[in-house]
Amino acid sequence: MNYCLLCDTVKPTNFAILNNNTKTMRIIRLFSLFFLLAILALAPASGQQTIVIETSGTALAFKAEQGKKLVQTYIGERLMSKAEYESAVAGFDAFPTFGGKAIGEAALRVVHQDGNTSSELVYDSHSVKTEGDIVTTQINLLDPAYPVQVRLFFKAYQKSDVIEQYMEIEHAEKKGVTLYDFASSYLTLSAQKYFLTEFHGDWAQEMQMQEQELIYGTKKIESRLGVRSNQYAHACFLLSENGKAAEQSGNVLAGQLEWPGSWELRFEVDQLGDLHIAGGMNPYASHYKLPQKTVFKTPQMLFTYSTSGTGTVTRRFHRWAKEYGIHMGDRTRMTLLNNWEATYFKFDEEVLKRIISDAADMGFELFLLDDGWFGNKYPRNSDHQGLGDWETNHEKLPNGLGCLVKEANDKGIQFGIWLEPEMINPKSELYEKHPDWVITQPNREIDTQRHQMILDLCNPKVQDYVFSVVDQTMQQNPGIAYIKWDCNRFMTNAASAYLKPELKSHLFIEYTRGLYNVLDRVREKYPDTHMMLCSGGGGRIDYGTLRYFDEFWISDNTDALDRIFIQWGTTYFFPAMALASHVSVVPNHITKRIIPLKFRFDVAMSAKLGMDLQPKDMTAEDKQFAKNAIQEYYGIRDIVQQGDLYRLLSPYESRRTAMMYVTENKQKAVVFSYLLKKTINGEKTSLVLQGLDPHKNYTLHEINKDTKQYSWFSPLEGKTFSGDYLMKYGLRFTMYNEFDSKVILLEAN
Ligand code: DGJ
């Protein structure tokens, strides 16, 4: 018998057999039909596809179908089989717009030329591009009723395991559209509970961590400051699912916005208990008129999803930062002596020469001359005047900066200079010439902070001027190796005289774009100059800006105890190599606290070591200790600056705090342990180490020792233990006294 399933014909040879075979065939055919129907029920409807964005550990997936809404179906740990992302059926609008059926907060809100306030976005197409380690997925969405295209970009960094998301919008509406909401990213989590850690504070108390459970409603963290926009909060978050964030366990989504202007992060728990996270530039008072055929691009939101707690998040961000996020992330950062707390505005050539000589003698690699070196008609002898007049003050420095550069170089160290080129004192020659260059509302009293105002970087002429400040300083004083770029106020009374009346609300966005233009030009001409990002402390720290900068000044508060908390929060997102940490005098100028020199050094050595005090005022003994500490730092610098960070004991949970760095090849590690409060019977918590190779044996040495005192680490000095033991039993030594500190070097044999 020949049976054809398709043509349904049978050629019988014998009735009995025919009857028999026909029955069998019917059963087979019925079975086949059921099978086919079952496949059809499970298979995606025609044209539906799954777009998967993956790194080595994190994944994000969308369902896309021509003409339908794009749906986020998955966010979490990467699945072993790519095909299984298709099984994820439940989903959420991937980029909700205002005006459709959605009732939650919109990622995008557009008013069209005809006054229609609604937008609908449907999937149109997508493409994937691979460039080395980076896989970029572009998803194009269209509004079926208006000529508007929205492009979502996802840059997946395979090795460092982070994703950058941003959005572009472009249209062909002749009279233009107005954008009212323009998120960079929109992600939805679905868990039982959500715990948000935010990083906020103020001047001298930056990056304080606070965790709270999110319940129904919207929690917003934002900055409306325009400039110095991290003064009160950082655009960074940790979002832990189902329990509080922990260092080595739990599901955590962590994100940060790469943008120094006003920003907002919105966390909305809806009526079904799902959490929608939108982040981007702050749309507050910033509606944007977009002409046709012009691309509006948002800044990048950087995020990663870890199933092994916040430690993993940290190391991913750091690895990414060193490769992509900060300027020249692979070069060694120099130690330096800064004269700010040593002299403030009160110095002359002789004073500086003496400090330079001391800095070289102590072993520093660079001397950084801070504020106060410029201005003649209005000498910069205080913060009341002179900002904007960037010629060397003849009285203080009759031989110019060049003579100091030479002095430093002759002594074998480099020279760095402080600039605050975006700012101006009304009492300055620059203001007399260009009163229209400042940001202020017309017909309102000018509002100063620290007696200064902000130059209007929306204006291309002002951009040229700001670039020329840097350029001329560099050209007139060849040999300057380092620039500290300061920025000491935020926007109030915010208005640009340059922007046309109908575009005044663009100020907050255009200012940052103007700043980027200037920084692009600076970096094009001076690619090798080391630059420190400073904003009265940590008022401006983000990866939008850090791609131009080698390091940052996180706080004017140099009190080592406060620094432990400030640095603890900062390092969730930014690596120690870029975190300048300076030893300063006691009593501390801000807190008045008295902390031993060793503790101050041990805290600064856990990041990028520097000093902010007058060496001539040190005792010979302290100076000798400092000299030795600087050499000790050189011995561990690569571990600290290039190693992986592991947090061991949190200062928020324990009176003893500890962390460690491990080199990539796990050959070396350094452990920092600090006691923040005296414990009468001794604090003996085991430091259960992390990140070592369990099969390697490590020999322990205490470094930067206080030779005058017995060290409770002595019984372990020179001993060798396996990584396995150190990561299970731990490192056990007792600490007793307030501000006792230990630095332990581990070297694999
Ligand atoms: C604020 C900075 O944070 C300080 O380190 C110092 O540079 C002053 N500005 C100078 O005015």
Side-chain angles (χ1 to χ4, degrees):
M1 181 208 70
N2 297 317
Y3 179 79
C4 168
L5 191 70
L6 284 177
C7 55
D8 199 16
T9 54
V10 180
K11 283 190 181 165
T13 47
N14 154 326
F15 273 110
I17 296 171
L18 171 68
N19 280 344
N20 237 350
N21 277 350
T22 308
K23 263 187 217 156
T24 316
M25 283 307 121
R26 279 206 185 113
I27 291 168
I28 292 173
R29 282 172 59 202
L30 217 63
F31 208 65
S32 306
L33 199 67
F34 274 123
F35 189 61
L36 210 71
L37 286 175
I39 288 176
L40 283 177
L42 286 176
S46 72
Q48 195 178 80
Q49 47 188 321
T50 302
I51 304 171
V52 181
I53 289 135
E54 279 182 329
T55 60
S56 50
T58 302
L60 189 59
F62 300 97
K63 280 241 185 299
E65 188 176 352
Q66 194 82 34
K68 300 247 170 80
K69 275 198 181 299
L70 182 74
V71 175
Q72 181 208 303
T73 50
Y74 186 85
I75 180 165
E77 194 172 6
R78 178 189 170 124
L79 297 182
M80 276 155 68
S81 154
K82 207 160 189 168
E84 287 205 287
Y85 291 108
E86 299 206 345
S87 312
V89 279
F92 308 93
D93 189 346
F95 210 71
T97 46
F98 174 79
K101 289 185 208 118
I103 47 165
E105 300 219 23
L108 181 72
R109 191 153 63 97
V110 181
V111 174
H112 299 273
Q113 62 178 7
D114 63 1
N116 190 330
T117 59
S118 72
S119 293
E120 294 279 359
L121 290 179
V122 296
Y123 170 79
D124 178 46
S125 61
H126 76 278
S127 59
V128 180
K129 193 173 75 190
T130 303
E131 284 164 304
D133 180 47
I134 308 168
V135 181
T136 304
T137 305
Q138 175 181 338
I139 306 179
N140 302 321
L141 309 174
L142 292 178
D143 189 322
Y146 287 86
V148 173
Q149 190 189 51
V150 168
R151 302 184 279 267
L152 304 182
F153 291 85
F154 300 86
K155 287 174 88 174
Y157 294 82
Q158 301 304 301
K159 273 196 281 115
S160 39
D161 218 341
V162 298
I163 298 174
E164 281 182 313
Q165 183 180 356
Y166 64 97
M167 183 267 287
E168 280 181 5
I169 178 167
E170 196 176 356
H171 69 88
E173 295 187 32
K174 274 199 183 118
K175 290 193 220 146
V177 305
T178 307
L179 309 177
Y180 285 89
D181 277 303
F182 28 77
S184 294
S185 85
Y186 189 90
L187 297 168
T188 298
L189 297 178
S190 197
Q192 298 246 297
K193 289 182 174 202
Y194 310 98
F195 292 84
L196 171 71
T197 305
E198 56 183 296
F199 297 77
H200 65 104
D202 196 349
W203 175 78
Q205 43 188 322
E206 294 83 351
M207 278 283 187
Q208 304 298 305
M209 294 171 65
Q210 203 158 358
E211 188 168 28
Q212 61 185 281
E213 184 175 352
L214 296 179
I215 51 167
Y216 175 79
T218 300
K219 157 87 185 170
K220 187 154 86 164
I221 319 170
E222 66 176 332
S223 168
R224 299 174 176 185
L225 305 180
V227 173
R228 200 189 189 188
S229 65
N230 300 130
Q231 167 135 12
Y232 302 128
H234 288 260
C236 305
F237 70 89
L238 301 172
L239 198 292
S240 174
E241 292 180 327
N242 301 326
K244 289 191 169 187
E247 189 61 13
Q248 294 185 73
S249 62
N251 294 358
V252 186
L253 174 75
Q256 51 181 319
L257 186 71
E258 302 172 32
W259 180 250
S262 296
W263 53 269
E264 82 167 4
L265 297 171
R266 279 182 278 145
F267 302 84
E268 183 187 16
V269 180
D270 67 19
Q271 71 285 0
L272 300 174
D274 297 314
L275 170 64
H276 309 280
I277 305 171
M281 294 182 285
N282 199 336
Y284 177 77
S286 292
H287 58 277
Y288 198 95
K289 287 189 187 309
L290 186 65
Q292 64 168 337
K293 296 183 184 129
T294 310
V295 178
F296 180 89
K297 181 179 169 184
T298 67
Q300 278 108 312
M301 173 68 86
L302 182 71
F303 66 89
T304 188
Y305 185 94
S306 153
T307 51
S308 48
T310 50
T312 302
V313 160
T314 294
R315 289 182 288 282
R316 287 181 188 165
F317 281 145
H318 290 189
R319 250 176 259 141
W320 175 85
K322 286 172 195 170
E323 202 164 349
Y324 303 102
I326 43 179
H327 183 254
M328 291 193 182
D330 55 353
R331 76 170 163 183
T332 302
R333 271 47 181 171
M334 289 183 277
T335 61
L336 64 82
L337 194 143
N338 185 195
N339 72 311
W340 177 240
E341 286 197 31
T343 63
Y344 295 105
F345 296 97
K346 215 165 165 231
F347 57 78
D348 59 21
E349 191 178 296
E350 274 323 295
V351 169
L352 295 181
K353 280 186 169 170
R354 169 82 198 265
I355 298 179
I356 289 172
S357 171
D358 282 338
D361 178 53
M362 289 168 79
F364 285 109
E365 294 166 321
L366 182 133
F367 167 71
L368 169 60
L369 174 56
D370 215 284
D371 197 354
W373 58 269
F374 49 89
N376 283 303
K377 181 171 176 189
Y378 301 106
R380 181 75 172 168
N381 291 329
S382 76
D383 57 15
H384 286 66
Q385 62 181 43
L387 209 50
D389 302 344
W390 295 101
E391 71 285 339
T392 315
N393 178 279
H394 303 317
E395 225 168 278
K396 285 182 186 172
L397 303 174
N399 299 305
L401 285 182
C403 139
L404 296 173
V405 178
K406 185 172 178 313
E407 181 73 13
N409 293 171
D410 286 351
K411 291 271 177 330
I413 63 174
Q414 310 259 31
F415 183 87
I417 192 73
W418 179 93
L419 293 172
E420 195 180 2
E422 295 160 77
M423 301 282 165
I424 180 168
N425 283 128
K427 207 166 167 193
S428 67
E429 290 181 83
L430 183 67
Y431 188 76
E432 287 168 353
K433 262 190 251 149
H434 298 290
D436 55 328
W437 276 11
V438 297
I439 287 179
T440 188
Q441 293 280 6
N443 309 319
R444 305 279 174 216
E445 207 178 307
I446 62 167
D447 179 40
T448 57
Q449 283 167 25
R450 207 192 187 209
H451 318 287
Q452 67 192 58
M453 300 181 78
I454 305 173
L455 289 170
D456 179 9
L457 279 180
C458 304
N459 184 341
K461 280 197 189 128
V462 178
Q463 291 173 22
D464 288 347
Y465 165 78
V466 172
F467 171 72
S468 78
V469 169
V470 181
D471 196 28
Q472 279 174 27
T473 309
M474 297 295 284
Q475 292 301 315
Q476 287 163 11
N477 307 286
I480 291 181
Y482 183 107
I483 293 170
K484 174 177 178 180
W485 185 300
D486 208 345
C487 163
N488 279 295
R489 69 158 292 175
F490 55 78
M491 280 189 202
T492 53
N493 226 355
S496 157
Y498 172 79
L499 292 173
K500 292 193 187 111
E502 66 278 17
L503 303 181
K504 294 278 182 208
S505 60
H506 292 198
L507 168 65
F508 292 98
I509 294 173
E510 294 306 340
Y511 184 91
T512 296
R513 290 181 175 166
L515 175 67
Y516 283 170
N517 282 344
V518 173
L519 290 170
D520 278 333
R521 290 168 70 183
V522 169
R523 269 310 178 199
E524 202 184 318
K525 193 151 181 195
Y526 303 101
D528 295 330
T529 306
H530 290 250
M531 293 217 292
M532 174 197 259
L533 179 58
C534 171
S535 180
R540 178 193 272 166
I541 294 171
D542 65 278
Y543 284 117
T545 322
L546 275 171
R547 68 198 147 109
Y548 302 100
F549 289 84
D550 301 70
E551 54 199 57
F552 58 84
W553 183 235
I554 187 61
S555 183
D556 278 349
N557 187 344
T558 50
D559 175 301
L561 176 60
D562 286 354
R563 271 280 174 155
I564 282 181
F565 288 88
I566 293 169
Q567 296 181 184
W568 191 265
T570 306
T571 54
Y572 278 84
F573 303 93
F574 305 102
M577 74 170 330
L579 200 174
S581 187
H582 294 183
V583 173
S584 64
V585 77
V586 286
N588 182 273
H589 287 179
I590 289 178
T591 65
K592 309 289 172 228
R593 197 175 281 128
I594 295 177
I595 290 180
L597 186 61
K598 172 173 160 52
F599 190 94
R600 282 178 274 151
F601 259 104
D602 286 350
V603 170
M605 284 165 70
S606 73
K608 205 228 74 170
L609 175 67
M611 203 164 175
D612 228 298
L613 58 70
Q614 172 55 281
K616 85 171 166 53
D617 295 342
M618 294 175 95
T619 63
E621 198 182 329
D622 279 358
K623 214 175 199 169
Q624 188 49 47
F625 182 87
K627 269 177 145 175
N628 187 59
I630 293 161
Q631 292 310 315
E632 296 273 36
Y633 181 70
Y634 293 140
I636 59 166
R637 171 159 62 177
D638 279 354
I639 317 175
V640 172
Q641 294 195 1
Q642 293 297 344
D644 280 328
L645 170 65
Y646 293 85
R647 294 185 200 88
L648 306 177
L649 292 176
S650 164
Y652 286 92
E653 287 160 12
S654 156
R655 56 178 57 190
R656 178 176 184 172
T657 179
M659 22 84 96
M660 65 186 289
Y661 297 94
V662 185
T663 56
E664 206 178 341
N665 61 9
K666 303 195 182 291
Q667 278 295 111
K668 287 186 181 186
V670 59
V671 176
F672 294 87
S673 177
Y674 311 99
L675 193 63
L676 311 184
K677 245 187 170 178
K678 184 169 179 67
T679 45
I680 306 293
N681 297 324
E683 210 299 327
K684 53 184 174 37
T685 308
S686 174
L687 302 182
V688 180
L689 304 191
Q690 300 172 42
L692 302 176
D693 181 340
H695 306 293
K696 283 188 171 40
N697 290 319
Y698 295 90
T699 305
L700 313 179
H701 289 295
E702 181 181 353
I703 64 162
N704 205 29
K705 278 168 90 159
D706 178 353
T707 46
K708 287 188 303 210
Q709 285 188 21
Y710 173 74
S711 169
W712 292 93
F713 184 78
S714 298
L716 295 175
E717 179 61 38
K719 295 254 164 68
T720 301
F721 302 99
S722 70
D724 180 51
Y725 172 88
L726 292 166
M727 292 194 292
K728 288 176 181 163
Y729 181 81
L731 203 53
R732 298 191 185 194
F733 57 92
T734 310
M735 297 177 90
Y736 290 91
N737 293 321
E738 188 160 84
F739 305 133
D740 191 359
S741 57
K742 292 273 172 279
V743 185
I744 313 299
L745 175 65
L746 284 75
E747 288 173 297
N749 303 317

